[in-house]
Amino acid sequence: MSVEDIKLVLKGIFEPAGFEVYPFKIGWYNKNVLKIFKFDLPEDTIAFIIISTPCMFEKALIPFVCREQCTGAKDPIDECVGHYFSEAKEAFPSHDILAIQDFEMHPGTRRAKVLVQTAGHVAGAAYYYQRADIKEDPWKEKQRIYGVSMHPEFGGWFALRGVLIFKDLQDPDLPFIPSKDVLDTDEKKINVLEKFNGNWKDWTYRDVVEPKERYSEMQKNYFATQPNQRKEIIEAMRKSLDHNDQCDH
Ligand code: B12
């Protein structure tokens, strides 16, 4: 099966649920990250980054919490994404696939197993803006400035959910598609980094690119609420599906 064929199958699984899928080569990722984050795999190994767009909440999460009777014991979004990752793995029984979600850390350390922003950047999905991109920045030398990715269509209204690495699939010919630099001046880059680092809770960093869609009020409310207090919102989500008569429990 070619990368293009695999991408089509993955799109069939993820797109109806509000996710996007972009292929990349492990070598492109490894070239950018420090040794401790590199994957010990040949550089032409094929992987896919999975991104959730605003409608994932309504298309995947609400039906999922309804179906699965989530108790909130585990994070419903992580579980929901995990469900789709399992489905993707099952679609390719003859391939050796390593699925890694954004929250997964190496045991015993607090080091992420995959840096999804770098993966999204090299896959051409969302430009990863970092302090190092700016010629003259206004911050103190020692100040930690976290980088932020921007999607060309959804601005900051998306999340990078994880990667699927096809460990036994290599393709030297996968074309490199650079991610779109949607913030073309240092001023705009500084602005988004200031907002992401200083005021991420007010949502404004997400709007530095005019998005074609934002999170719904229910989704914003969900993310603005502490995970251990989301039970009520999850109940409301269930009821919203009951209303539409789509819930089969
Ligand atoms: C740990 C973590 C945190 C920590 C530390 C943040 C950090 N960036 O280090 C804390 C708790 C502070 C945090 C907070 C938040 N986080 Co957070 N976090 C993560 C997590 C799990 C890992 C990040 C990490 O450890 N990075 C390690 C450092 C070393 O990586 P780095 O700085 O990118 O350095 C690498 C690059 O520079 C690369 N590199 C070097 N040169 C070059 C050149 C190029 C061209 C490229 C591409 C790369 C590259 O090499 C370096 C490594 O060697 C990621 C998910 C993930 N698995 O990636 C989410 C993630 C970064 N967080 C995210 C978000 C949204 C948040 C919050 C808003 C809270 C929230 N969840 O809503 C806040 C905002 C930050 C703030 N103002 O406090 C999003 C960012 C989305 C986006 N649009 O970019 C992510 C991607 C989660 C997701 N699923 O989408 N987070």
Side-chain angles (χ1 to χ4, degrees):
M1 228 184 191
S2 71
V3 176
E4 212 35 54
D5 291 338
I6 291 176
K7 187 171 141 191
L8 279 178
V9 174
L10 290 176
K11 277 177 161 223
I13 294 169
F14 285 102
E15 283 189 352
F19 297 94
E20 289 181 345
V21 175
Y22 300 86
F24 65 97
K25 286 207 264 182
I26 285 296
W28 301 340
Y29 174 90
N30 279 352
K31 207 176 77 190
N32 282 302
V33 297
L34 286 174
K35 204 165 172 227
I36 44 161
F37 292 108
K38 289 185 203 295
F39 290 103
D40 188 14
L41 289 166
E43 63 174 51
D44 290 330
T45 306
I46 297 299
F48 293 83
I49 176 99
I50 314 295
I51 281 176
S52 59
T53 72
C55 67
M56 179 278 299
F57 193 82
E58 281 74 20
K59 288 189 173 164
L61 188 72
I62 295 183
F64 180 81
V65 296
C66 181
R67 267 200 320 268
E68 304 295 320
Q69 291 288 301
C70 281
T71 56
K74 271 175 89 182
D75 185 287
I77 291 204
D78 294 347
E79 253 186 273
C80 175
V81 173
H83 161 85
Y84 284 96
F85 275 30
S86 302
E87 210 174 292
K89 282 178 84 167
E90 280 161 22
F92 301 100
S94 62
H95 278 290
D96 183 6
I97 301 172
L98 175 61
I100 309 175
Q101 287 182 243
D102 58 343
F103 61 86
E104 289 189 51
M105 304 285 151
H106 285 286
T109 70
R110 289 178 61 216
R111 182 159 39 85
K113 284 191 178 175
V114 62
L115 300 179
V116 288
Q117 293 162 305
T118 295
H121 185 93
V122 300
Y127 200 103
Y128 183 31
Y129 294 98
Q130 305 183 78
R131 182 176 188 170
D133 294 337
I134 296 160
K135 278 166 229 90
E136 274 178 51
D137 74 54
W139 305 294
K140 291 202 182 84
E141 208 185 305
K142 286 208 169 135
Q143 198 174 339
R144 181 81 174 95
I145 300 293
Y146 298 130
V148 59
S149 302
M150 279 291 131
H151 189 287
E153 290 185 326
F154 299 109
W157 300 94
F158 77 104
L160 299 132
R161 295 295 173 189
V163 294
L164 295 168
I165 303 175
F166 284 65
K167 288 165 73 178
D168 55 356
L169 179 67
Q170 277 136 40
D171 182 357
D173 299 324
L174 183 73
F176 178 79
I177 299 169
S179 47
K180 217 169 154 190
D181 182 359
V182 284
L183 305 173
D184 51 3
T185 64
D186 274 9
E187 219 179 331
K188 291 182 191 168
K189 292 178 174 109
I190 291 169
N191 178 40
V192 76
L193 289 170
E194 292 263 0
K195 287 188 152 89
F196 184 68
N197 282 269
N199 298 307
W200 61 271
K201 281 188 181 164
D202 72 7
W203 308 101
T204 54
Y205 83 82
R206 299 178 193 255
D207 280 328
V208 297
V209 174
E210 183 58 33
K212 74 169 188 193
E213 199 183 337
R214 294 185 174 83
Y215 292 176
S216 61
E217 284 309 311
M218 188 186 265
Q219 180 166 191
K220 280 165 73 177
N221 189 15
Y222 179 89
F223 284 119
T225 306
Q226 285 296 319
N228 59 0
Q229 282 158 24
R230 285 179 183 160
K231 256 189 160 163
E232 273 176 34
I233 306 176
I234 291 173
E235 260 327 297
M237 284 156 66
R238 286 212 183 99
K239 287 211 179 94
S240 77
L241 255 199
D242 281 344
H243 258 304
N244 297 334
D245 244 354
Q246 291 168 24
C247 195
D248 53 9
H249 69 247

